Amino acid sequence: MEMASLHYHILVILIFVLQLNAISTSDHHHRHHDHHRKHGLKSLHFALYQHETINKTGFIVVNGVAGPPVGQTTTPFGTLFVFEDPMTLTPNRTSKVVGVAEGTSVTSGLDGLRAISIAKITLNVKHYKGSISVVGGTHNIKPSDHPIVGGTGDFLFVQGYVTSSPVDLTGLTVVYKIEFHIYWPPYATPTDSV
C-alpha cells in the first residue's frame, strides 16, 4: 500500500512539473521582447520589403540537377542563385529604397522550395547606417527565420534575427517582407551616424 501511495505522489508531482513547464514554454515567446527590455538591451524592430526581379536583380549562376523546373517559387535541386535586391519601406516597388540585400542561395530541397541562404543587408534606416549579415534556411513560399550573425557600422556586434515572408510571388518581380529583430548586447552600443 505504501508503494502505491509513493507512486501516486510521484505521478502527481511529475504532472505538476510538466504542466508548469508547458505554461512557461508557451508564455516564453510572448515575453521574449519584454525580457530584453527588462535587462536593458537596446533593440530595434522594423520591416522592409525586398524586391527580386529575375535576370535583373537576381540570377541563376549554376543550374540545378533534379526536381522541378525554374519558376517564380522553385528552382531545381543544387541551383546556385545570386541577388542584389532593393529594399523599400512599403511593398510598392516605387517606394523609398532604404537598403540593399545581396547574397546567394543554393536550392537544398528536392521539391525546389527550400534553400540555404547567405545575405548581407546594407541599411540606412531610423538614424542607423551599416549592414547586417544573415544566414539560414529559406522556404520560398512560407515564412523563414534567419539568425543575424554579424554587422558593421551602427550594427556592429548586433544579434537577433530576421523573418522573411512572401508577399507577392506573381509576375516578374517577387516581393518578400523582411522583419528585423535586432539587439545590441550590453558591451556594444550603436554609434552615432555621421
Side-chain angles (χ1 to χ4, degrees), residues 20-96:
L20 188 59
N21 186 38
I23 291 168
S24 170
T25 303
S26 68
D27 193 37
H28 173 75
H29 179 71
H30 299 290
R31 295 181 308 163
H32 183 71
H33 297 298
D34 291 335
H35 167 78
H36 289 290
R37 269 187 237 118
K38 270 194 246 176
H39 289 85
L41 290 182
K42 180 170 178 55
S43 65
L44 182 63
H45 306 277
F46 60 96
L48 298 176
Y49 295 85
Q50 180 179 351
H51 302 266
E52 187 166 275
T53 306
I54 303 300
N55 294 327
K56 184 175 179 188
T57 67
F59 299 89
I60 292 175
V61 177
V62 175
N63 284 318
V65 295
V70 174
Q72 290 300 91
T73 59
T74 59
T75 52
F77 180 76
T79 299
L80 177 62
F81 187 81
V82 295
F83 57 90
E84 185 177 327
D85 300 333
M87 301 191 77
T88 62
L89 292 173
T90 72
N92 186 336
R93 176 60 183 98
T94 60
S95 71
K96 182 178 180 182

Side-chain angles (χ1 to χ4, degrees), residues 7-187:
H7 285 148
Y8 173 77
H9 288 300
I10 291 174
L11 181 63
V12 168
I13 291 170
L14 181 60
I15 290 171
F16 175 75
V17 168
L18 289 174
Q19 286 178 333
L20 188 59
N21 186 38
I23 291 168
S24 170
T25 303
S26 68
D27 193 37
H28 173 75
H29 179 71
H30 299 290
R31 295 181 308 163
H32 183 71
H33 297 298
D34 291 335
H35 167 78
H36 289 290
R37 269 187 237 118
K38 270 194 246 176
H39 289 85
L41 290 182
K42 180 170 178 55
S43 65
L44 182 63
H45 306 277
F46 60 96
L48 298 176
Y49 295 85
Q50 180 179 351
H51 302 266
E52 187 166 275
T53 306
I54 303 300
N55 294 327
K56 184 175 179 188
T57 67
F59 299 89
I60 292 175
V61 177
V62 175
N63 284 318
V65 295
V70 174
Q72 290 300 91
T73 59
T74 59
T75 52
F77 180 76
T79 299
L80 177 62
F81 187 81
V82 295
F83 57 90
E84 185 177 327
D85 300 333
M87 301 191 77
T88 62
L89 292 173
T90 72
N92 186 336
R93 176 60 183 98
T94 60
S95 71
K96 182 178 180 182
V97 174
V98 293
V100 174
E102 52 189 309
T104 187
S105 63
V106 178
T107 305
S108 58
L110 288 171
D111 61 2
L113 292 172
R114 295 181 317 276
I116 304 298
S117 301
I118 301 168
K120 179 183 110 182
I121 303 172
T122 304
L123 301 168
N124 187 359
V125 292
K126 297 185 181 191
H127 310 292
Y128 296 98
K129 249 179 145 172
S131 69
I132 63 167
S133 297
V134 298
V135 64
T138 301
H139 194 290
N140 295 346
I141 60 174
K142 295 180 183 177
S144 304
D145 290 333
H146 300 88
I148 295 173
V149 295
T152 66
D154 292 331
F155 302 107
L156 195 60
F157 299 116
V158 295
Q159 300 170 344
Y161 64 99
V162 301
T163 301
S164 170
S165 303
V167 173
D168 184 2
L169 300 175
T170 60
L172 190 58
T173 300
V174 294
V175 180
Y176 292 91
K177 181 179 184 181
I178 310 297
E179 297 173 86
F180 294 82
H181 304 279
I182 302 171
Y183 302 92
W184 283 266
Y187 57 83

